[in-house]
């Protein structure tokens, strides 16, 4: 008789859940691994001479789980800001903190922490998207975990790139150097259609095609995104990115919460993989992806945790259980997304979705040795029934927990044995992570103390002060101003007519000043709206000086308002809010060779019906301010206002005495 063939590791006596196309389960099976690959999977015992033989009696051997979408380094931001709306969470917290803290070392540490958590919970492969993705790749490879690593490209400056040209160059360089690595598949990751330009989408697709690697992106995550796409491009998200030739590449699309059936078919025709992220979509209130429909149409759908900042963990057992339950709940149909299907999405189909289906996701000879061993002796797993062959799937999906994972192997290498991590120093990682959290806490606490700092943190204001001399007076009629403006003494340089809607945010500490959100509607001669703009002004409390009734102010920070009023309300969290609405005619005039702004305002709210004239000018020195104040006083007289008519209050203070 021939000597038995050799293998590195032989697992015996296991319930082998292969997750192959035929869903083969061996009640008492064996798996042989050699040279990093699975060489045999059989019921009964295998005739191999192994360096290491492990008796898996009472245990399940199954493929390692595939986390189809995450941002591993964000493990360091777990629990940083929760229960906020997506834009406030992302633009108000995540991005400012990332700009300040995200460096290669941060990314490496975060990925190590994430890998420790993923290994513990049975994940052997993850699809990632982040900044400094090379550090993710290095850390994952060192930890022995398989990963599709997507280098983020977006139109804004990012922690690892001053411009999108920089991030494209970084993506190309990363892909060129990591292509062909045994554990890491590099990819370009254009962040999302709404954070990318046409050029970014097209160039990333070309890059993926050139290097024959997948492309990782977020698609149709929120209703807002779809509405914006319809408004700006006249079509929903999928046809838009298709038009930009994104599907020339092998796309992995995360979320896909808001799709119509035509879009689903387009994704199927493009052989795109979908990453379903049920926890993240629920937590951020984005909705529930139509997963059952996608599966019915034949799409390839995996399951992902998304980053820990929106989950807040990387537990794929939780995620697949939720995916199954949620599909039933929204369809009012307990037969929707059965346990076996959920487990398929977390293994074989998930691997296909991230375009690694050839090498991982099931226990079959020829695939890499990516597997986990589950202990089914825990009380919550007892008893078990053998009558229904599908019982093992519901056992794993509905009863088992990530803490039942005892051993983890990836690419034939043990990463965990008897719940002990072999490639990562968990205690050191925890210490280092706590230290990062302390520094982020300190940064945010500093920022939260100042409205101005919060404004700057969201890219809201250039940090510059301005000084202004100003006077405001009540008028009985607008005619005196209109007459003076059309007279010979005053030269009009330009004029405009607006309808202004102001929202003032007040804060507990008056020293913070107050923040005004202004929406201007430009009106033409027929009072028709011809355009609009929104801007923010942070007004300091400081009145520097008074020259008679003319006041000198300082500390005004201007910024275009790129977010909605609702965003600023939720981000700044003011203690009080008041509205002012007015009709404004505005002239830039020259008088005695000096330029002034003249505002003729009809206050519509809070105190309806009143007319006011406001004269103001930028100033640079006390001397200049004094000179201008004298001219303003003279101008005011021409406008028919007496010094007695002047008021010091801002409009928002009138009617709130
Ligand atoms: Zn994501």
């Amino acid at each position: 008789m021939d000597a038995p063939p050799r293998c590195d590791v032989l697992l015996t006596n296991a319930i082998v859940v292969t997750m192959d196309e035929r869903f083969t389960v061996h009640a008492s099976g064996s798996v042989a691994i050699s040279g990093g690959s699975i060489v045999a999977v059989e019921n009964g015992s295998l005739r191999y001479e192994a360096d290491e033989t492990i008796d898996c009696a009472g245990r399940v051997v199954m493929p390692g789980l595939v986390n189809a979408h995450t941002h591993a380094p964000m493990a360091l931001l777990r629990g940083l800001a929760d229960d906020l709306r997506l834009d406030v969470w992302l633009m108000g917290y995540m991005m400012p903190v990332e700009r300040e803290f995200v460096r290669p070392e941060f990314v490496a540490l975060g990925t190590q922490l994430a890998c420790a958590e993923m290994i513990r919970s049975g994940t052997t492969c993850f699809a990632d998207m982040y900044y400094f993705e090379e550090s993710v790749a290095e850390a994952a490879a060192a930890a022995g975990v398989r990963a599709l690593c997507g280098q983020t490209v977006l139109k804004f400056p990012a922690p690892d790139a001053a411009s999108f040209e920089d991030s494209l160059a970084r993506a190309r360089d990363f892909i060129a150097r990591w292509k062909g690595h045994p554990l890491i598949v590099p990819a370009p990751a254009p962040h999302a259609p709404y954070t990318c330009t046409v050029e970014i989408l097209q160039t990333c697709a070309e890059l993926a095609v050139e290097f024959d690697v997948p492309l990782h992106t977020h698609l149709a995550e929120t209703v807002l995104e779809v509405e914006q796409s319809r408004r700006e491009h006249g079509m929903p998200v999928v046809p838009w990115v298709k038009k930009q030739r994104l599907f020339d590449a092998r796309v992995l699309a995360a979320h896909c919460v808001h799709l119509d059936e035509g879009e689903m078919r387009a994704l199927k025709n493009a052989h795109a993989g979908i990453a379903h992220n049920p926890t993240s979509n629920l937590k951020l209130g984005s909705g529930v992806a139509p997963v059952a429909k996608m599966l019915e149409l034949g799409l390839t759908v995996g399951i992902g945790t998304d980053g820990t900042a929106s989950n807040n963990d990387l537990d794929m057992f939780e995620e697949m259980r939720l995916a199954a339950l949620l599909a039933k709940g929204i369809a009012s149909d307990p037969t929707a997304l059965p346990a076996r299907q959920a487990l398929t999405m977390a293994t074989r189909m998930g691997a296909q979705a991230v375009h690694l289906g050839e090498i991982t996701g099931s226990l079959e000879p020829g695939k890499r040795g990516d597997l986990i061993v589950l202990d089914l002796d825990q009380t919550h797993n007892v008893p078990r029934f053998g009558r229904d062959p599908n019982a093992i799937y519901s056992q794993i999906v509905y009863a088992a927990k990530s803490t039942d994972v005892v051993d983890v192997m990836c690419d034939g290498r043990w990463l965990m044995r008897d719940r002990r991590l072999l490639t990562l120093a968990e205690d050191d990682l925890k210490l280092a992570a706590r230290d990062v959290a302390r520094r982020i806490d300190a940064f945010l606490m500093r920022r939260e103390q100042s409205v101005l700092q919060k404004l700057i943190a969201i890219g809201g204001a250039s940090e510059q002060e301005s000084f202004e001399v100003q006077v405001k007076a009540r008028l009985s009629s607008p005619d005196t101003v209109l007459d003076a403006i059309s007279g010979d003494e005053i030269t009009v340089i330009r004029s405009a007519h607006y309808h202004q809607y102001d929202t003032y945010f007040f804060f507990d500490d008056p020293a913070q000043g107050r923040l005004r959100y202004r929406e201007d509607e430009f009106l033409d001669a027929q009072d028709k709206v011809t355009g609009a703009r929104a801007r923010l002004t942070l007004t300091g409390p400081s009145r520097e000086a008074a020259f008679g009734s003319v006041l000198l102010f300082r500390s005004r920070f201007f910024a275009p308002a790129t977010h909605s009023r609702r965003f600023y309300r939720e981000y700044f969290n003011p203690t009080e809010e008041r509205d002012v609405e007015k009709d404004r005619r505005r002239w830039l005039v020259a008088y005695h060779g000096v330029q002034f702004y003249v505002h003729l305002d009809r206050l519509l709210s809070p105190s309806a019906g009143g007319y006011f004239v406001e004269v103001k000018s930028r100033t640079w020195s006390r001397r200049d301010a004094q000179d201008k104040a004298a001219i303003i006083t003279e101008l005011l007289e021409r406008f028919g206002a007496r010094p007695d008519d002047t008021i010091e209050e801002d409009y928002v203070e009138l009617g709130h005495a």
Side-chain angles (χ1 to χ4, degrees), residues 471-476 547-550 611-613 632-633 636-637 639-649 654:
V471 71
K472 184 190 285 139
R474 208 180 270 279
L475 294 173
S476 47
F547 310 100
S549 49
V550 179
Y611 284 96
F612 296 84
V613 64
I632 285 178
T633 310
L636 206 60
E637 234 168 87
F639 290 142
R642 292 157 309 166
D644 278 3
D645 299 325
T646 58
I647 53 169
E648 290 198 13
E649 295 95 338
L654 298 171

PDB file of all heavy atoms in Angstrom, residues 471-476 547-550 611-613 632-633 636-637 639-649 654:
ATOM      1  N   VAL A 471     -24.317 102.312  11.153  1.00  0.00           N
ATOM      2  CA  VAL A 471     -25.415 102.964  11.859  1.00  0.00           C
ATOM      3  C   VAL A 471     -26.722 102.499  11.250  1.00  0.00           C
ATOM      4  O   VAL A 471     -26.784 102.141  10.067  1.00  0.00           O
ATOM      5  CB  VAL A 471     -25.290 104.509  11.797  1.00  0.00           C
ATOM      6  CG1 VAL A 471     -25.566 105.033  10.392  1.00  0.00           C
ATOM      7  CG2 VAL A 471     -26.220 105.174  12.791  1.00  0.00           C
ATOM      8  N   LYS A 472     -27.729 102.453  12.077  1.00  0.00           N
ATOM      9  CA  LYS A 472     -29.040 102.006  11.602  1.00  0.00           C
ATOM     10  C   LYS A 472     -30.089 102.946  12.180  1.00  0.00           C
ATOM     11  O   LYS A 472     -30.001 103.338  13.343  1.00  0.00           O
ATOM     12  CB  LYS A 472     -29.288 100.579  12.085  1.00  0.00           C
ATOM     13  CG  LYS A 472     -30.580  99.997  11.556  1.00  0.00           C
ATOM     14  CD  LYS A 472     -30.902  98.694  12.244  1.00  0.00           C
ATOM     15  CE  LYS A 472     -30.027  97.578  11.742  1.00  0.00           C
ATOM     16  NZ  LYS A 472     -29.560  96.707  12.756  1.00  0.00           N
ATOM     17  N   ALA A 473     -31.073 103.322  11.336  1.00  0.00           N
ATOM     18  CA  ALA A 473     -32.104 104.239  11.823  1.00  0.00           C
ATOM     19  C   ALA A 473     -33.469 103.831  11.298  1.00  0.00           C
ATOM     20  O   ALA A 473     -33.595 103.292  10.200  1.00  0.00           O
ATOM     21  CB  ALA A 473     -31.794 105.668  11.379  1.00  0.00           C
ATOM     22  N   ARG A 474     -34.454 104.120  12.118  1.00  0.00           N
ATOM     23  CA  ARG A 474     -35.837 103.829  11.739  1.00  0.00           C
ATOM     24  C   ARG A 474     -36.329 104.935  10.802  1.00  0.00           C
ATOM     25  O   ARG A 474     -35.978 106.106  10.970  1.00  0.00           O
ATOM     26  CB  ARG A 474     -36.676 103.835  13.011  1.00  0.00           C
ATOM     27  CG  ARG A 474     -37.881 102.967  12.978  1.00  0.00           C
ATOM     28  CD  ARG A 474     -38.602 103.093  14.308  1.00  0.00           C
ATOM     29  NE  ARG A 474     -38.160 102.121  15.286  1.00  0.00           N
ATOM     30  CZ  ARG A 474     -38.583 100.854  15.328  1.00  0.00           C
ATOM     31  NH1 ARG A 474     -39.440 100.403  14.423  1.00  0.00           N
ATOM     32  NH2 ARG A 474     -38.159 100.041  16.261  1.00  0.00           N
ATOM     33  N   LEU A 475     -37.126 104.590   9.804  1.00  0.00           N
ATOM     34  CA  LEU A 475     -37.663 105.571   8.855  1.00  0.00           C
ATOM     35  C   LEU A 475     -39.181 105.494   8.872  1.00  0.00           C
ATOM     36  O   LEU A 475     -39.750 104.423   9.067  1.00  0.00           O
ATOM     37  CB  LEU A 475     -37.196 105.250   7.432  1.00  0.00           C
ATOM     38  CG  LEU A 475     -35.724 105.357   7.082  1.00  0.00           C
ATOM     39  CD1 LEU A 475     -35.500 104.817   5.681  1.00  0.00           C
ATOM     40  CD2 LEU A 475     -35.254 106.806   7.181  1.00  0.00           C
ATOM     41  N   SER A 476     -39.803 106.635   8.584  1.00  0.00           N
ATOM     42  CA  SER A 476     -41.261 106.574   8.480  1.00  0.00           C
ATOM     43  C   SER A 476     -41.656 106.191   7.057  1.00  0.00           C
ATOM     44  O   SER A 476     -42.728 105.652   6.819  1.00  0.00           O
ATOM     45  CB  SER A 476     -41.884 107.906   8.893  1.00  0.00           C
ATOM     46  OG  SER A 476     -41.183 108.956   8.254  1.00  0.00           O
ATOM     47  N   PHE A 547     -18.908 106.369  17.884  1.00  0.00           N
ATOM     48  CA  PHE A 547     -18.609 107.752  17.493  1.00  0.00           C
ATOM     49  C   PHE A 547     -19.958 108.421  17.300  1.00  0.00           C
ATOM     50  O   PHE A 547     -20.545 108.343  16.231  1.00  0.00           O
ATOM     51  CB  PHE A 547     -17.805 107.792  16.202  1.00  0.00           C
ATOM     52  CG  PHE A 547     -16.609 106.879  16.228  1.00  0.00           C
ATOM     53  CD1 PHE A 547     -16.644 105.635  15.620  1.00  0.00           C
ATOM     54  CD2 PHE A 547     -15.441 107.266  16.883  1.00  0.00           C
ATOM     55  CE1 PHE A 547     -15.555 104.801  15.652  1.00  0.00           C
ATOM     56  CE2 PHE A 547     -14.348 106.423  16.923  1.00  0.00           C
ATOM     57  CZ  PHE A 547     -14.395 105.189  16.314  1.00  0.00           C
ATOM     58  N   GLY A 548     -20.485 109.017  18.359  1.00  0.00           N
ATOM     59  CA  GLY A 548     -21.860 109.495  18.318  1.00  0.00           C
ATOM     60  C   GLY A 548     -22.770 108.289  18.217  1.00  0.00           C
ATOM     61  O   GLY A 548     -22.664 107.358  19.000  1.00  0.00           O
ATOM     62  N   SER A 549     -23.620 108.277  17.192  1.00  0.00           N
ATOM     63  CA  SER A 549     -24.522 107.125  17.057  1.00  0.00           C
ATOM     64  C   SER A 549     -23.943 106.054  16.128  1.00  0.00           C
ATOM     65  O   SER A 549     -24.555 105.030  15.889  1.00  0.00           O
ATOM     66  CB  SER A 549     -25.887 107.586  16.559  1.00  0.00           C
ATOM     67  OG  SER A 549     -25.727 108.428  15.440  1.00  0.00           O
ATOM     68  N   VAL A 550     -22.747 106.335  15.583  1.00  0.00           N
ATOM     69  CA  VAL A 550     -22.109 105.342  14.706  1.00  0.00           C
ATOM     70  C   VAL A 550     -21.274 104.389  15.564  1.00  0.00           C
ATOM     71  O   VAL A 550     -20.521 104.829  16.434  1.00  0.00           O
ATOM     72  CB  VAL A 550     -21.221 106.025  13.645  1.00  0.00           C
ATOM     73  CG1 VAL A 550     -20.544 104.983  12.767  1.00  0.00           C
ATOM     74  CG2 VAL A 550     -22.044 106.988  12.804  1.00  0.00           C
ATOM     75  N   TYR A 611     -39.685 100.411   8.212  1.00  0.00           N
ATOM     76  CA  TYR A 611     -38.585 100.686   7.278  1.00  0.00           C
ATOM     77  C   TYR A 611     -37.358 101.118   8.063  1.00  0.00           C
ATOM     78  O   TYR A 611     -37.474 101.838   9.058  1.00  0.00           O
ATOM     79  CB  TYR A 611     -38.977 101.790   6.299  1.00  0.00           C
ATOM     80  CG  TYR A 611     -39.918 101.303   5.217  1.00  0.00           C
ATOM     81  CD1 TYR A 611     -41.293 101.461   5.348  1.00  0.00           C
ATOM     82  CD2 TYR A 611     -39.407 100.687   4.080  1.00  0.00           C
ATOM     83  CE1 TYR A 611     -42.151 101.011   4.362  1.00  0.00           C
ATOM     84  CE2 TYR A 611     -40.260 100.230   3.083  1.00  0.00           C
ATOM     85  CZ  TYR A 611     -41.634 100.394   3.234  1.00  0.00           C
ATOM     86  OH  TYR A 611     -42.464  99.940   2.255  1.00  0.00           O
ATOM     87  N   PHE A 612     -36.221 100.709   7.565  1.00  0.00           N
ATOM     88  CA  PHE A 612     -34.968 101.081   8.227  1.00  0.00           C
ATOM     89  C   PHE A 612     -33.930 101.412   7.168  1.00  0.00           C
ATOM     90  O   PHE A 612     -33.953 100.856   6.069  1.00  0.00           O
ATOM     91  CB  PHE A 612     -34.429  99.913   9.066  1.00  0.00           C
ATOM     92  CG  PHE A 612     -35.316  99.529  10.206  1.00  0.00           C
ATOM     93  CD1 PHE A 612     -36.385  98.662  10.006  1.00  0.00           C
ATOM     94  CD2 PHE A 612     -35.098 100.048  11.475  1.00  0.00           C
ATOM     95  CE1 PHE A 612     -37.219  98.311  11.050  1.00  0.00           C
ATOM     96  CE2 PHE A 612     -35.922  99.685  12.527  1.00  0.00           C
ATOM     97  CZ  PHE A 612     -36.995  98.816  12.317  1.00  0.00           C
ATOM     98  N   VAL A 613     -33.033 102.321   7.529  1.00  0.00           N
ATOM     99  CA  VAL A 613     -31.881 102.535   6.661  1.00  0.00           C
ATOM    100  C   VAL A 613     -30.632 102.172   7.462  1.00  0.00           C
ATOM    101  O   VAL A 613     -30.553 102.430   8.665  1.00  0.00           O
ATOM    102  CB  VAL A 613     -31.811 103.980   6.127  1.00  0.00           C
ATOM    103  CG1 VAL A 613     -31.605 104.981   7.258  1.00  0.00           C
ATOM    104  CG2 VAL A 613     -30.718 104.117   5.071  1.00  0.00           C
ATOM    105  N   ILE A 632     -20.717 109.182   7.689  1.00  0.00           N
ATOM    106  CA  ILE A 632     -21.962 108.400   7.819  1.00  0.00           C
ATOM    107  C   ILE A 632     -23.045 109.242   8.489  1.00  0.00           C
ATOM    108  O   ILE A 632     -24.205 109.230   8.073  1.00  0.00           O
ATOM    109  CB  ILE A 632     -21.704 107.098   8.615  1.00  0.00           C
ATOM    110  CG1 ILE A 632     -20.957 106.088   7.726  1.00  0.00           C
ATOM    111  CG2 ILE A 632     -23.007 106.483   9.110  1.00  0.00           C
ATOM    112  CD1 ILE A 632     -20.613 104.780   8.409  1.00  0.00           C
ATOM    113  N   THR A 633     -22.659 109.998   9.497  1.00  0.00           N
ATOM    114  CA  THR A 633     -23.620 110.847  10.195  1.00  0.00           C
ATOM    115  C   THR A 633     -24.247 111.855   9.224  1.00  0.00           C
ATOM    116  O   THR A 633     -25.455 112.100   9.238  1.00  0.00           O
ATOM    117  CB  THR A 633     -22.929 111.580  11.364  1.00  0.00           C
ATOM    118  OG1 THR A 633     -22.219 110.601  12.134  1.00  0.00           O
ATOM    119  CG2 THR A 633     -23.918 112.297  12.239  1.00  0.00           C
ATOM    120  N   LEU A 636     -26.625 110.071   6.851  1.00  0.00           N
ATOM    121  CA  LEU A 636     -27.872 109.718   7.526  1.00  0.00           C
ATOM    122  C   LEU A 636     -28.857 110.885   7.468  1.00  0.00           C
ATOM    123  O   LEU A 636     -30.057 110.706   7.279  1.00  0.00           O
ATOM    124  CB  LEU A 636     -27.553 109.341   8.977  1.00  0.00           C
ATOM    125  CG  LEU A 636     -28.532 108.391   9.649  1.00  0.00           C
ATOM    126  CD1 LEU A 636     -28.594 107.063   8.896  1.00  0.00           C
ATOM    127  CD2 LEU A 636     -28.117 108.146  11.088  1.00  0.00           C
ATOM    128  N   GLU A 637     -28.314 112.077   7.624  1.00  0.00           N
ATOM    129  CA  GLU A 637     -29.138 113.277   7.548  1.00  0.00           C
ATOM    130  C   GLU A 637     -29.767 113.411   6.160  1.00  0.00           C
ATOM    131  O   GLU A 637     -30.940 113.704   6.018  1.00  0.00           O
ATOM    132  CB  GLU A 637     -28.258 114.487   7.828  1.00  0.00           C
ATOM    133  CG  GLU A 637     -28.763 115.365   8.936  1.00  0.00           C
ATOM    134  CD  GLU A 637     -27.683 116.366   9.323  1.00  0.00           C
ATOM    135  OE1 GLU A 637     -27.633 117.432   8.699  1.00  0.00           O
ATOM    136  OE2 GLU A 637     -26.852 116.021  10.207  1.00  0.00           O
ATOM    137  N   PHE A 639     -30.518 111.094   4.284  1.00  0.00           N
ATOM    138  CA  PHE A 639     -31.548 110.066   4.142  1.00  0.00           C
ATOM    139  C   PHE A 639     -32.796 110.379   4.971  1.00  0.00           C
ATOM    140  O   PHE A 639     -33.715 109.575   5.064  1.00  0.00           O
ATOM    141  CB  PHE A 639     -30.997 108.691   4.557  1.00  0.00           C
ATOM    142  CG  PHE A 639     -29.976 108.143   3.593  1.00  0.00           C
ATOM    143  CD1 PHE A 639     -28.876 107.440   4.045  1.00  0.00           C
ATOM    144  CD2 PHE A 639     -30.123 108.345   2.219  1.00  0.00           C
ATOM    145  CE1 PHE A 639     -27.940 106.936   3.167  1.00  0.00           C
ATOM    146  CE2 PHE A 639     -29.182 107.838   1.338  1.00  0.00           C
ATOM    147  CZ  PHE A 639     -28.084 107.141   1.800  1.00  0.00           C
ATOM    148  N   GLY A 640     -32.783 111.544   5.623  1.00  0.00           N
ATOM    149  CA  GLY A 640     -33.972 111.981   6.358  1.00  0.00           C
ATOM    150  C   GLY A 640     -34.115 111.360   7.728  1.00  0.00           C
ATOM    151  O   GLY A 640     -35.206 111.353   8.287  1.00  0.00           O
ATOM    152  N   ALA A 641     -33.013 110.832   8.267  1.00  0.00           N
ATOM    153  CA  ALA A 641     -33.083 110.249   9.613  1.00  0.00           C
ATOM    154  C   ALA A 641     -32.368 111.165  10.598  1.00  0.00           C
ATOM    155  O   ALA A 641     -31.284 111.661  10.294  1.00  0.00           O
ATOM    156  CB  ALA A 641     -32.441 108.872   9.616  1.00  0.00           C
ATOM    157  N   ARG A 642     -32.997 111.380  11.756  1.00  0.00           N
ATOM    158  CA  ARG A 642     -32.353 112.195  12.781  1.00  0.00           C
ATOM    159  C   ARG A 642     -31.597 111.276  13.747  1.00  0.00           C
ATOM    160  O   ARG A 642     -31.925 110.086  13.832  1.00  0.00           O
ATOM    161  CB  ARG A 642     -33.417 112.984  13.557  1.00  0.00           C
ATOM    162  CG  ARG A 642     -34.106 114.068  12.752  1.00  0.00           C
ATOM    163  CD  ARG A 642     -35.449 114.369  13.368  1.00  0.00           C
ATOM    164  NE  ARG A 642     -36.191 113.120  13.570  1.00  0.00           N
ATOM    165  CZ  ARG A 642     -37.271 113.002  14.325  1.00  0.00           C
ATOM    166  NH1 ARG A 642     -37.748 114.040  14.975  1.00  0.00           N
ATOM    167  NH2 ARG A 642     -37.879 111.833  14.457  1.00  0.00           N
ATOM    168  N   PRO A 643     -30.630 111.850  14.450  1.00  0.00           N
ATOM    169  CA  PRO A 643     -29.882 111.003  15.404  1.00  0.00           C
ATOM    170  C   PRO A 643     -30.811 110.274  16.369  1.00  0.00           C
ATOM    171  O   PRO A 643     -30.523 109.151  16.783  1.00  0.00           O
ATOM    172  CB  PRO A 643     -28.994 112.005  16.143  1.00  0.00           C
ATOM    173  CG  PRO A 643     -28.824 113.133  15.169  1.00  0.00           C
ATOM    174  CD  PRO A 643     -30.104 113.218  14.380  1.00  0.00           C
ATOM    175  N   ASP A 644     -31.964 110.895  16.698  1.00  0.00           N
ATOM    176  CA  ASP A 644     -32.922 110.244  17.605  1.00  0.00           C
ATOM    177  C   ASP A 644     -33.507 108.962  17.028  1.00  0.00           C
ATOM    178  O   ASP A 644     -33.979 108.101  17.759  1.00  0.00           O
ATOM    179  CB  ASP A 644     -34.125 111.185  17.864  1.00  0.00           C
ATOM    180  CG  ASP A 644     -33.797 112.195  18.933  1.00  0.00           C
ATOM    181  OD1 ASP A 644     -32.638 112.170  19.390  1.00  0.00           O
ATOM    182  OD2 ASP A 644     -34.683 112.990  19.289  1.00  0.00           O
ATOM    183  N   ASP A 645     -33.503 108.870  15.685  1.00  0.00           N
ATOM    184  CA  ASP A 645     -34.117 107.704  15.033  1.00  0.00           C
ATOM    185  C   ASP A 645     -33.195 106.485  15.036  1.00  0.00           C
ATOM    186  O   ASP A 645     -33.618 105.393  14.678  1.00  0.00           O
ATOM    187  CB  ASP A 645     -34.464 108.023  13.566  1.00  0.00           C
ATOM    188  CG  ASP A 645     -35.459 109.165  13.465  1.00  0.00           C
ATOM    189  OD1 ASP A 645     -36.327 109.250  14.358  1.00  0.00           O
ATOM    190  OD2 ASP A 645     -35.357 109.948  12.501  1.00  0.00           O
ATOM    191  N   THR A 646     -31.927 106.693  15.384  1.00  0.00           N
ATOM    192  CA  THR A 646     -30.993 105.564  15.281  1.00  0.00           C
ATOM    193  C   THR A 646     -31.277 104.546  16.384  1.00  0.00           C
ATOM    194  O   THR A 646     -31.721 104.899  17.475  1.00  0.00           O
ATOM    195  CB  THR A 646     -29.524 106.017  15.393  1.00  0.00           C
ATOM    196  OG1 THR A 646     -29.362 106.677  16.645  1.00  0.00           O
ATOM    197  CG2 THR A 646     -29.158 106.949  14.259  1.00  0.00           C
ATOM    198  N   ILE A 647     -31.000 103.296  16.053  1.00  0.00           N
ATOM    199  CA  ILE A 647     -31.184 102.225  17.033  1.00  0.00           C
ATOM    200  C   ILE A 647     -29.919 101.381  17.086  1.00  0.00           C
ATOM    201  O   ILE A 647     -29.219 101.242  16.088  1.00  0.00           O
ATOM    202  CB  ILE A 647     -32.386 101.316  16.684  1.00  0.00           C
ATOM    203  CG1 ILE A 647     -32.266 100.802  15.244  1.00  0.00           C
ATOM    204  CG2 ILE A 647     -33.693 102.034  16.888  1.00  0.00           C
ATOM    205  CD1 ILE A 647     -33.247  99.720  14.930  1.00  0.00           C
ATOM    206  N   GLU A 648     -29.652 100.874  18.258  1.00  0.00           N
ATOM    207  CA  GLU A 648     -28.449 100.048  18.412  1.00  0.00           C
ATOM    208  C   GLU A 648     -28.736  98.576  18.202  1.00  0.00           C
ATOM    209  O   GLU A 648     -27.837  97.805  17.889  1.00  0.00           O
ATOM    210  CB  GLU A 648     -27.847 100.253  19.811  1.00  0.00           C
ATOM    211  CG  GLU A 648     -27.244 101.629  19.978  1.00  0.00           C
ATOM    212  CD  GLU A 648     -26.278 101.701  21.154  1.00  0.00           C
ATOM    213  OE1 GLU A 648     -25.901 100.633  21.687  1.00  0.00           O
ATOM    214  OE2 GLU A 648     -25.916 102.815  21.539  1.00  0.00           O
ATOM    215  N   GLU A 649     -30.003  98.204  18.378  1.00  0.00           N
ATOM    216  CA  GLU A 649     -30.326  96.777  18.296  1.00  0.00           C
ATOM    217  C   GLU A 649     -30.178  96.263  16.872  1.00  0.00           C
ATOM    218  O   GLU A 649     -30.413  96.969  15.914  1.00  0.00           O
ATOM    219  CB  GLU A 649     -31.776  96.498  18.737  1.00  0.00           C
ATOM    220  CG  GLU A 649     -32.053  96.784  20.173  1.00  0.00           C
ATOM    221  CD  GLU A 649     -32.635  98.177  20.359  1.00  0.00           C
ATOM    222  OE1 GLU A 649     -32.429  99.024  19.463  1.00  0.00           O
ATOM    223  OE2 GLU A 649     -33.278  98.403  21.392  1.00  0.00           O
ATOM    224  N   LEU A 654     -35.025  93.325  17.898  1.00  0.00           N
ATOM    225  CA  LEU A 654     -36.274  94.080  17.914  1.00  0.00           C
ATOM    226  C   LEU A 654     -37.406  93.090  18.158  1.00  0.00           C
ATOM    227  O   LEU A 654     -37.450  92.039  17.569  1.00  0.00           O
ATOM    228  CB  LEU A 654     -36.506  94.774  16.565  1.00  0.00           C
ATOM    229  CG  LEU A 654     -35.456  95.813  16.170  1.00  0.00           C
ATOM    230  CD1 LEU A 654     -35.681  96.262  14.740  1.00  0.00           C
ATOM    231  CD2 LEU A 654     -35.497  97.003  17.111  1.00  0.00           C
TER     232      LEU A 654
END
